[in-house]
Amino acid sequence: HNLKRNVPFAPARYLVAWLAYHLAAGPVVRPEHWLPRVAPRPVMLLNALQDERLPRPAIEKLHRSAMPPKEEIWLPGSHVQPNRPEIIKQLVVTILERAAR
């Protein structure tokens, strides 16, 4: 998804993504592999409604892999980045509010 801008030709993009994924040990570190093992501890899944970096199907796959107890939270805005302090502040406030329960 994030290679579209740099590799516009889809077949080449898929090949580059596949190669990078496997060179970076992607199958071993993918979050949907490890997230189910967190249970029975509670999991909070925070997501941006307008996330331009993570495709919605990937986020939904991650959510499906989480076991209860889990809480899915969709916040307005874009992907969290260091240069977006308003999003970081919103995340911190949301986490602290939920942790205080």
Side-chain angles (χ1 to χ4, degrees), residues 3-97:
L3 290 171
K4 283 183 181 180
R5 192 177 327 139
N6 297 322
V7 187
F9 184 59
R13 184 172 58 248
Y14 297 140
L15 179 61
V16 169
W18 181 88
L19 184 60
Y21 175 74
H22 288 282
L23 287 174
V28 176
V29 298
R30 68 184 203 279
E32 64 272 15
H33 172 76
W34 294 100
L35 187 56
R37 299 172 189 213
V38 173
R41 293 171 294 281
V43 173
M44 185 186 321
L45 300 156
L46 293 158
N47 307 279
L49 286 168
Q50 292 81 33
D51 197 317
E52 72 283 4
R53 301 274 318 264
L54 299 174
R56 184 79 177 234
I59 295 170
E60 291 169 351
K61 181 178 181 180
L62 180 63
H63 285 203
R64 286 190 304 274
S65 73
M67 305 301 290
K70 64 180 176 179
E71 182 178 10
E72 298 174 18
I73 302 166
W74 290 92
L75 300 172
S78 306
H79 190 81
V80 65
Q81 305 244 29
N83 63 343
R84 296 178 175 167
E86 68 285 351
I87 294 174
I88 294 171
K89 181 178 179 182
Q90 184 179 24
L91 285 172
V92 170
V93 167
T94 302
I95 292 167
L96 292 176
E97 284 174 355

